[in-house]
Amino acid sequence: MASNRESYVNHNKKKRKRKKILTFILVPLLVIAASGIGYGAFLYTKAKSVVEDSYQPIDRESSLRDAAVDPDIDDISILFIGVDDSEKRSSSSGTTRSRSDALMLATLNEKEKSVKLLSIPRDSYVYIPERGYNDKITHAHYFGGVTSTIETVENLLDVPVDYYAKMNFDAFMDVVEALGGIEVDVPVTFTEQNSKDQKGENAIHLEKGLQTLNGEEALALARTRKIDNDIERGKRQQLIMKAIMDKAVSAQAITKYSKLMEAVGDNMTTDLSFSNIQSLLAYATAENGLQVESLTLTGSDGNVDGAYVYQLDPTALEETKAILQEHLGIKDDINSSDDTTMDTTGSSDTSTDSTTGTTDSTYNESTTDTTTTN
């Protein structure tokens, strides 16, 4: 199947543009905003201002929660949504649209002060409630923004999404630069276009091994698709995110907090309030340090109506659901009757044929998508 994907990508390469990819850097901001309390009134005021400017609550309630959660005392989840604002698309009515380039769901266990971070491949073929049929999960944001993306993830994983944080492409490099670079063990030698999609002498070349990466280099490692696949790319993004978190909570980063907050401020929207964010300080200052376990959704390459998709493994998906539910302390609260309306691939009982992937004719990636992944 991997060869099928390579053939599909190569076939469409000439008529599509390259797509950019980012990882998420909100967690360092959470630490920074909370830590501002300990480093003087200036940082506290700046952190509060950044978060308030980024605060954009959405009008929804999760059907998987009986009541609102409190990060001070409850286990919570945060969905990190990465988009590239250079790829905005406008509908006929002028509405700006963009796909999600990357999704990560973090579950936070208050008692253990631990975090489980699940990468969701952008091409995962799942049921999108907003549309009523199966499609790539990246399209959930295109059709319905943050709300549709949250609903799709909840439907897929059977866990509530309590908060979201959406970051755009520009923030990634700015944050790494503000931190003075991050230390990463690059898994393989490779060459990738830079952030402006330039090749040749402007391309980014990285050698295998432990090294300090600047913003451009970190982005190249996060975005490249030449060296492996979506699952491995997700692991690389988690590796980079962990490196950013480690650097952000280190003592040497204290003097960089002001620049770091500036880097994040204009590139983030979230429904986490400043007080919510302050509550998360305990995770960063736990006795054993910030405990983050990375998870992935396994599956295989597939093809639906001529388009590449990532077919999730049903058994592995159920195992991942159970891990997340247990970490959130809700495993016993999930109503087993919900299983009758959703299969293990995240599809729902609708008139849509989830095997063939027949979808609404208003959107067809093979004819509409002007970009592609590497």
Side-chain angles (χ1 to χ4, degrees):
M1 295 298 290
S3 60
N4 291 340
R5 180 187 181 214
E6 183 178 358
S7 297
Y8 173 76
V9 172
N10 289 338
H11 177 72
N12 291 278
K13 193 172 183 179
K14 292 183 179 180
K15 60 181 180 180
R16 298 187 175 190
K17 299 176 183 178
R18 294 176 64 86
K19 203 170 186 66
K20 299 170 183 176
I21 186 67
L22 62 137
T23 190
F24 307 100
I25 46 76
L26 179 64
V27 173
L29 176 65
L30 309 184
V31 176
I32 292 164
S35 298
I37 300 172
Y39 298 108
F42 170 71
L43 284 182
Y44 177 87
T45 301
K46 189 160 192 172
K48 190 172 187 292
S49 176
V50 166
V51 176
E52 288 178 347
D53 289 345
S54 302
Y55 185 64
Q56 288 190 17
I58 56 177
D59 185 17
R60 72 175 296 274
E61 293 182 3
S62 173
S63 61
L64 299 176
R65 287 291 194 193
D66 295 328
V69 293
D70 180 351
D72 268 322
I73 58 176
D74 295 320
D75 303 329
I76 65 168
S77 65
I78 305 171
L79 181 64
F80 299 103
I81 306 170
V83 299
D84 185 350
D85 280 353
S86 68
E87 297 183 70
K88 289 179 178 177
R89 294 167 174 81
S90 297
S91 66
S92 57
S93 62
T95 302
T96 300
R97 296 180 174 183
S98 60
R99 297 174 181 82
S100 58
D101 265 353
L103 292 172
M104 289 186 187
L105 180 71
T107 59
L108 291 78
N109 185 281
E110 194 278 332
K111 182 178 180 180
E112 298 175 357
K113 294 297 184 289
S114 60
V115 179
K116 293 190 186 297
L117 188 64
L118 174 68
S119 291
I120 305 174
R122 69 183 300 279
D123 292 327
S124 297
Y125 191 60
V126 304
Y127 181 74
I128 300 180
E130 172 78 15
R131 306 303 288 175
Y133 55 69
N134 283 39
D135 203 341
K136 296 182 182 183
I137 200 167
T138 182
H139 295 157
H141 190 272
Y142 179 89
F143 288 122
V146 170
T147 299
S148 176
T149 302
I150 290 175
E151 290 174 349
T152 301
V153 171
E154 285 192 341
N155 189 75
L156 172 67
L157 299 174
D158 275 346
V159 297
V161 174
D162 299 312
Y163 300 99
Y164 83 90
K166 184 168 80 169
M167 303 296 301
N168 71 31
F169 170 77
D170 295 329
F172 180 81
M173 290 189 298
D174 292 344
V175 166
V176 174
E177 291 294 336
L179 286 171
I182 55 173
E183 189 172 65
V184 178
D185 191 2
V186 179
V188 64
T189 298
F190 72 95
T191 299
E192 176 63 47
Q193 295 183 84
N194 66 13
S195 61
K196 294 181 174 59
D197 291 338
Q198 295 173 330
K199 301 179 181 179
E201 62 180 15
N202 295 314
I204 306 300
H205 180 78
L206 291 178
E207 296 287 339
K208 179 179 179 180
L210 185 65
Q211 56 201 282
T212 298
L213 306 182
N214 62 28
E216 281 276 4
E217 293 167 340
L219 179 66
L221 180 60
R223 73 183 292 200
T224 186
R225 288 175 177 267
K226 297 177 180 179
I227 60 178
D228 42 45
N229 52 40
D230 271 348
I231 289 297
E232 293 304 317
R233 187 180 66 154
K235 291 179 181 178
R236 283 186 275 112
Q237 292 171 6
Q238 291 173 333
L239 183 71
I240 293 171
M241 183 174 180
K242 179 66 164 55
I244 291 175
M245 288 191 287
D246 288 344
K247 186 68 174 285
V249 300
S250 66
Q252 60 182 310
I254 293 174
T255 59
K256 305 178 187 298
Y257 281 176
S258 180
K259 288 184 178 180
L260 187 51
M261 283 186 281
E262 290 175 0
V264 172
D266 294 333
N267 299 297
M268 176 186 74
T269 57
T270 181
D271 59 353
L272 283 158
S273 67
F274 186 59
S275 61
N276 290 153
I277 290 174
Q278 287 176 288
S279 300
L280 302 180
L281 175 61
Y283 288 87
T285 58
E287 183 178 350
N288 296 326
L290 190 60
Q291 301 297 309
V292 181
E293 179 185 356
S294 298
L295 305 173
T296 58
L297 289 176
T298 60
S300 59
D301 297 324
N303 188 294
V304 174
D305 293 339
Y308 169 78
V309 298
Y310 187 72
Q311 299 280 8
L312 299 178
D313 179 85
T315 301
L317 177 59
E318 290 302 313
E319 292 173 353
T320 301
K321 288 182 184 181
I323 291 172
L324 296 177
Q325 290 166 5
E326 183 175 7
H327 196 237
L328 285 176
I330 61 172
K331 189 169 183 180
D332 295 332
D333 297 335
I334 299 298
N335 192 330
S336 60
S337 65
D338 290 343
D339 294 340
T340 61
T341 61
M342 179 174 58
D343 67 25
T344 56
T345 62
S347 62
S348 185
D349 185 12
T350 69
S351 59
T352 300
D353 188 339
S354 61
T355 302
T356 62
T358 303
T359 60
D360 191 327
S361 60
T362 58
Y363 182 84
N364 186 325
E365 184 178 19
S366 63
T367 59
T368 306
D369 189 356
T370 59
T371 63
T372 190
T373 53
N374 295 331

